[in-house]
Every structure is written in structure tokens, then in C-alpha cells.
Amino acid sequence: MSEKPIRVLVAKPGLDGHDRGAKVIARALRDAGMEVIYTGLRQTPEQIAAAAIQEDVDVVAMSILSGAHNHLFPKVVKLLKDQNADDILIIGGGVIPEDDIPGLKEAGIAEIFTPGTSTTEVIEYIENSVKKSS
Amino acid sequence: MELAERLLKGDKRACARLISLVENEDKEAVDILKKLYKHTGNAHIIGITGPPGGGKSTLTDKLAKMLRKEGKKIGIIAVDPTSPFTGGSILGDRVRMSDLTTDPGVFIRSMGTRGHLGGLSKGTQSAIKVLDIYGADYIFVETVGVGQSEVDIVKTADTVVMVMVPGLGDDIQAIKAGVMEIGDIFVVNKSDLEGADRTALEIEMMLDFKKHNGWRPPVIKASATEKTGIDNIIEKIKNHKNHMVKTGQFHIRREENIKLEILNLVKEKLMTMIAKKSNDSNEIDSLYKDVLEKRLDPYTARDKIIDLVKK
Ligand code: B12
Ligand SMILES: Nc1nc2c(ncn2[C@@H]2O[C@H](COP(=O)(O)OP(=O)(O)OP(=O)(O)O)[C@@H](O)[C@H]2O)c(=O)[nH]1
Ligand SMILES: [Mg+2]
């Protein structure tokens, strides 16, 4: 009856104003039965980490199309680690060159989804990863 | 018991985790709340309600900021609807409170209604207790947009702020039955827009028709985005509590709310017991059939179910 829904923070770090992708992902996750906390645009890594902790989310999902991913994504990972919240799954998406992906994964981003990704793929990835860890 | 100690020390992570656990009806979390219940009761609980898009979140952001200047610790619970079809939700109230996110004296939590009707979620009352124990001086509870049946908030809050907007006109007429009863303070938000004076006047006129128990709800014009009227709202929120305490109504209201809460808990527990009974044997299910086929009436069936659960 009261099966616990997966909670996901969908955040847009930095000054990037492209929010269509983030909104598409937010809606898809909601339709898959998840509780999506949407933070809106222009969030600092500090704001994203603080919101993730207060909301006690299972997943932080960030979207960047501006090119600032190499700087912003790892910063969020580090802030969460500093607060002993490294059990939270962190994923990212947007316009991200293939060459940058290995480095981001190295830095602690679990998976990166680039333009053309189907939302089903994202949903399956989250469902499988969260189930594994809990 | 580690979580409990961390919560008493004001640890945000512990607070967040406990809210999740009580929301998911975890038994261990309920045990923690039982132990710490005596630490509740210090916070002033303020309900923020009103039609969708009226500016509840933006206003809460501004009210919280002003109270932060006095050094008060703030908890905010923002409830948004859960889709009855998918069980999912998009909780978007935080968008209006971004600046508060990193303030160490503020804790914001978004909750989905998860099938509960009435403007709050089933876990809201427990989450309020957690924030109270955590040490919040003020707890704001933003409900989902108000309608006819959504009056949960009066049974939960000490002070209810009803957020209206200019030009509601006929809508006020339509929702007034439920709404006029529950507001302790009326705010006409978006007063930077046309028609605020008229809306304020209409609300005043409707309030004139009502009997008041020593507190006539004030009507305040404000603009959350222009930051006008905020200090006035804070003042009235404090006045309301002072008035309630002085006249003894604060105590009476809390007692009434506690009574309702306990009766609700009993009702929930009974329903779970019935569900369990009906899982374990088909005695109860066969009663339904008996009523359907007129071998039994619903009233006798009720008495039989109660007897079964008592056993
Ligand atoms: C639409 C668009 C705009 C719109 C944005 C409207 C809006 N509100 O979103 C407007 C016109 C405003 C705009 C403006 C600009 N844009 Co523009 N824009 C685009 C465009 C054409 C499409 C983006 C889009 O909406 N796609 C549809 C959505 C659904 O797809 P998506 O975001 O990629 O998301 C999918 C996946 O990436 C993934 N995903 C995305 N995020 C996430 C997150 C998670 C957690 C997961 C799991 C998955 C995921 O899932 C989604 C579904 O498949 C792209 C080019 C392109 N083809 O990508 C350029 C593009 C992003 N823009 C670009 C630029 C440069 C700009 C401007 C700076 C232009 C200018 N000089 O003014 C401005 C900056 C605006 C700002 N404030 O940031 C560049 C960015 C270059 C870069 N990264 O180096 C691009 C790549 C165009 C280009 N090739 O040069 N833009
Ligand atoms: N002009 C004007 N716009 C305002 C004011 N306050 C809020 N808004 C805008 O009204 C819209 C809704 O504001 P929210 O604070 O999200 O309203 P809400 O009542 O919390 O909305 P829900 O939670 O979705 O029911 C936003 O675009 C705000 O910027 C105000 O005082 N004046
Ligand atoms: Mg809101």
C-alpha cells in the first residue's frame, strides 16, 4: 500500500538557462511514479547539495547544456561527500562531449545522458541503481 | 538511538532522514518520535494556504527571511499533489525559496500528498513534530491549493494565513464557504497588480458577516515579489499567537487538534487491523457478500467486524 517512492532532485547548476531537458526528465520521472523535487534554474553547487540533504533524496539529477559541466558536476559530488552524503546517486545530462564523460565518471558522476537519450533509458537506470543500493 | 540524539542536536541530515522514515511509516521512526514527543510544542506552526499560484511559496520565502533577521530558526514544509494515476509528483515550491537553501537556520522539505485528501499529506503532522524537536521556532506549512474540502490545515496549525490575489471576484464567492472559516489572517498578495483594494474590501465585507471570537482576522495587502506588507504580516502572525495565548484559546485549539490527531491515528490503525484480518481469513470478505445478497445488513456487518478485530 505505502510503497516508498524514489525521490529525485532535478537541478540546473550554473548560469545555463536551457531548462527544457531538465523539465522533460522531471516529467518523465514523475510519470514513472517518482517524487521529483525541482529546484529551478541557476543553482550553485552549494544550493544543490544543501537541497539534496534536506530533501533526503535517493538521486541528484543535474542538467547542463552550457559547457560548464566539468567544473560544476564534480563540485556537487565533493560537497555531498564532505557532508557524508556520498550514498546519494549522482547523474548528469545535457550537451556533454564524449571526451569529457570518462573524466566526469572518474569524479563520481555515476552516469551521463546526452541529447537523444530516451527517457525510458533514464528511468530504468535510476530504478535499477536505487534498488541495488538499498 | 543515534538518529534521535543527532536530531536533538539540530543535525540537518538526521532531521531529513527521520522525516523520510516517518513519511514511510517506518516503525523505528515512530519509536523515536514516541521517545522525543516531550520535546515538541515549542514551535509556532503557521499554515500558508490559498488558491494555486497565489504566491504562497514566494510569500513564505519572504516571511522566513524576515524572521531570520531576528535570529529565529525556521522549518518549512511545502506540500504538492501526488498524481493519483502514477503515484509520482513534481514538487516545485523550492524554486521560490532558492536563497534560503544554504541558510543554516532554515530547513525546507517538500512532500507529495501521496493519496491523502485535505491539502496536506499523511506524513505532514509527523514531519512537523520532527522539525519541532529539531528546534525550529517557526514552522511554515504550505498546503496544496485550497478548495472546498481542504481544511486539514486548521487542524494542524496555530495560525492560518490565507493568501488571496486581486481579481479573484467570483472565485472568492465560490470558495468562501470553506475559506472564510479557516483564515486567521487574510493576505491579498500581488497587490502590485490591479484590483487589490477591491478584493481586500470584498474580503472585509465577508468577514463582517461572521461572528468572531475576540479575534477579527486582519486583511493585509502585500506583494511578495515587491516585498511590501511583509513586516505587517509578521506582526499580525505574532499578534495572533499572543491573543490566543492570552485568551486561553491557544491551549484549547491545541487540545482540539491533538484530539483529532489521536482519533485519526486510531482510525488508521483500525483500518490496518481490518485489512490484516481480511488478509488472514475470509471472514470479513464473506460479510460483504452476505450484505450484497441481503442475508445481512451493513449495520450488523459493522458490529461483526468490530467484534472480529477485538478478538
Ligand atoms: C532550444 C535551445 C535554446 C533555447 C532554450 C529554451 C529553453 N528554455 O530551454 C534558447 C533559444 C533560449 C537558447 C539560448 C541559448 N543557447 Co541554446 N540551444 C537550444 C538547442 C537548439 C536545443 C536544446 C533543447 O531544448 N533540446 C531539447 C531537450 C529536451 O533536450 P536536452 O536538453 O538535450 O535533454 C535531453 C538529453 O540531453 C538528456 N538530458 C538533459 N539533461 C539531463 C539531465 C539528466 C539528469 C538526465 C538523466 C538526462 C538529461 O535527456 C533529455 C531528453 O533526451 C541546443 C542545441 C541542441 N541540439 O542541443 C542549443 C544549445 C544548447 N544552445 C547553445 C547556446 C550557445 C545558446 C546561447 C548561449 C546562444 C546565445 N549566444 O545567445 C543561449 C544561452 C541561453 C542561456 N541563458 O543559457 C549551444 C551550447 C554550446 C555549448 N554547450 O558549448 C547549443 C548546444 C547550440 C550549439 N550547437 O551551439 N538555446
Ligand atoms: N505580480 C506578482 N507576482 C507574484 C507575487 N507573488 C508571487 N508572484 C508570482 O506568482 C507565481 C506563483 O507564485 P508561487 O509562490 O509559486 O505561488 P504558490 O501559491 O506557491 O503556487 P502553488 O504552490 O503552485 O500553488 C510566480 O510566478 C510568482 O513570481 C506578487 O506579489 N506579485
Ligand atoms: Mg507553492
Side-chain angles (χ1 to χ4, degrees), chain A residues 4-5 7 26-27 30-31 33-40 43 46-47 50-51 53-56 84-85 87, chain B residues 12-13 16-17 20 23-24 86-92 94-95 98-99 101-102 106-110 112 114:
Chain A
K4 140 181 181 334
R7 282 170 69 86
R27 264 181 242 123
R30 172 199 60 194
D31 293 343
M34 300 183 200
E35 255 173 25
V36 178
I37 295 104
Y38 184 64
T39 64
Q43 300 292 299
E46 286 78 10
Q47 285 174 317
I53 284 179
Q54 290 168 34
E55 298 289 355
D56 192 29
N84 295 320
D87 51 322
Chain B
K12 279 198 171 174
R13 193 116 213 265
R17 183 51 54 87
S20 307
E23 198 176 15
N24 297 324
T86 66
S89 51
I90 294 183
L91 315 176
R94 279 196 97 94
V95 174
S98 274
D99 307 340
T101 303
T102 49
V106 180
F107 188 104
I108 308 173
R109 183 58 173 247
S110 317
R114 298 196 185 171

Side-chain angles (χ1 to χ4, degrees), chain A residues 9-12 15-25 29 41-42 60-69 73 91-97 111-119 122 126:
Chain A
L9 188 81
V10 173
K12 285 276 319 161
L15 301 175
D16 171 24
H18 296 89
D19 61 358
R20 279 197 208 155
K23 285 182 170 162
V24 167
I25 295 296
L29 299 184
L41 291 170
R42 297 192 185 84
V60 171
M62 295 180 284
S63 175
I64 298 189
L65 281 76
S66 68
H69 46 269
F73 283 172
I91 58 175
V95 177
I96 293 165
E111 193 55 86
I112 297 286
F113 299 87
T114 49
T117 312
S118 81
T119 52
V122 178
I126 292 179

Side-chain angles (χ1 to χ4, degrees), chain B:
Chain B
M1 233 21 214
E2 196 222 353
L3 260 185
E5 277 153 30
R6 282 167 56 207
L7 178 67
L8 280 173
K9 288 204 185 102
D11 178 312
K12 279 198 171 174
R13 193 116 213 265
C15 181
R17 183 51 54 87
L18 253 178
I19 292 177
S20 307
L21 290 173
V22 290
E23 198 176 15
N24 297 324
E25 296 171 43
D26 179 273
K27 197 182 156 309
E28 191 195 340
V30 175
D31 285 341
I32 293 179
L33 277 192
K34 282 184 191 170
K35 263 217 174 82
L36 299 184
Y37 184 72
K38 54 178 179 295
H39 295 279
T40 66
N42 303 315
H44 184 176
I45 302 162
I46 301 157
I48 305 284
T49 188
K56 298 182 290 297
S57 302
T58 317
L59 197 65
T60 303
D61 177 68
K62 300 302 178 294
L63 295 171
K65 276 183 187 138
M66 183 149 282
L67 287 166
R68 282 297 294 145
K69 288 199 190 127
E70 301 174 14
K72 302 295 184 197
K73 206 165 160 184
I74 311 290
I76 298 172
I77 297 171
V79 186
D80 275 322
T82 296
S83 156
F85 305 108
T86 66
S89 51
I90 294 183
L91 315 176
D93 296 311
R94 279 196 97 94
V95 174
R96 314 278 170 218
M97 309 180 193
S98 274
D99 307 340
L100 292 175
T101 303
T102 49
D103 183 334
V106 180
F107 188 104
I108 308 173
R109 183 58 173 247
S110 317
M111 300 181 93
T113 51
R114 298 196 185 171
H116 185 80
L117 303 170
L120 298 181
S121 83
K122 217 163 94 184
T124 305
Q125 294 208 323
S126 309
I128 290 172
K129 288 188 192 75
V130 176
L131 285 174
D132 199 341
I133 298 164
Y134 166 74
D137 299 301
Y138 291 90
I139 300 173
F140 290 93
V141 183
E142 178 186 338
T143 74
V144 304
V146 76
Q148 288 285 342
S149 63
E150 286 153 354
V151 289
D152 266 4
I153 192 64
V154 237
K155 301 176 216 149
T156 306
D158 302 315
T159 302
V160 175
V161 177
M162 179 65 65
V163 182
M164 308 290 234
V165 290
L168 271 179
D170 294 345
D171 290 348
I172 293 191
Q173 295 293 340
I175 55 181
K176 76 171 178 199
V179 161
M180 282 312 184
E181 307 303 322
I182 69 178
D184 297 306
I185 295 167
F186 286 81
V187 173
V188 180
N189 189 38
K190 308 201 184 185
S191 287
D192 51 299
L193 304 179
E194 196 92 3
D197 288 323
R198 214 188 116 198
T199 303
L201 194 69
E202 279 174 3
I203 297 171
E204 294 277 12
M205 283 181 348
M206 278 180 222
L207 288 171
D208 284 340
F209 282 111
K210 266 197 62 190
K211 272 218 270 312
H212 304 289
N213 195 2
W215 172 266
R216 195 213 190 259
V219 181
I220 304 164
K221 280 183 287 176
S223 166
T225 46
E226 309 283 310
K227 299 185 195 126
T228 58
I230 309 300
D231 44 354
N232 195 2
I233 300 171
I234 296 279
E235 188 191 319
K236 295 302 189 298
I237 287 174
K238 290 179 177 170
N239 287 353
H240 179 252
K241 178 161 177 194
N242 288 340
H243 166 84
M244 298 279 285
V245 170
K246 233 182 8 220
T247 56
Q249 289 175 55
F250 187 77
H251 208 76
I252 296 172
R253 185 150 163 181
R254 283 228 164 150
E255 189 174 334
E256 229 152 67
N257 289 352
I258 284 172
K259 179 176 146 192
L260 281 170
E261 186 192 351
I262 295 172
L263 289 179
N264 256 331
L265 287 172
V266 172
K267 219 188 293 175
E268 270 167 30
K269 180 88 184 198
L270 269 178
M271 293 309 285
T272 339
M273 285 164 77
I274 293 171
K276 190 175 174 306
K277 256 270 153 12
S278 121
N279 248 342
D280 293 349
S281 79
N282 56 9
E283 272 174 300
I284 288 183
D285 293 321
S286 70
L287 287 174
Y288 302 148
K289 217 177 176 73
D290 288 345
V291 173
L292 177 72
E293 283 157 12
K294 304 281 185 291
R295 284 190 295 275
L296 203 65
D297 64 276
Y299 311 100
T300 312
R302 169 198 59 196
D303 297 342
K304 282 185 185 245
I305 289 177
I306 289 173
D307 284 341
L308 276 172
V309 171
K310 269 200 293 202
K311 268 198 283 193

Side-chain angles (χ1 to χ4, degrees), chain A residues 62-120:
Chain A
M62 295 180 284
S63 175
I64 298 189
L65 281 76
S66 68
H69 46 269
N70 284 334
H71 169 59
L72 294 168
F73 283 172
K75 200 143 180 228
V76 173
V77 177
K78 183 177 177 305
L79 286 165
L80 284 173
K81 205 172 256 161
D82 288 348
Q83 298 172 73
N84 295 320
D86 42 6
D87 51 322
I88 300 175
L89 178 75
I90 305 177
I91 58 175
V95 177
I96 293 165
E98 278 304 320
D99 291 349
D100 290 350
I101 295 178
L104 290 171
K105 288 195 172 170
E106 187 96 353
I109 310 294
E111 193 55 86
I112 297 286
F113 299 87
T114 49
T117 312
S118 81
T119 52
T120 343

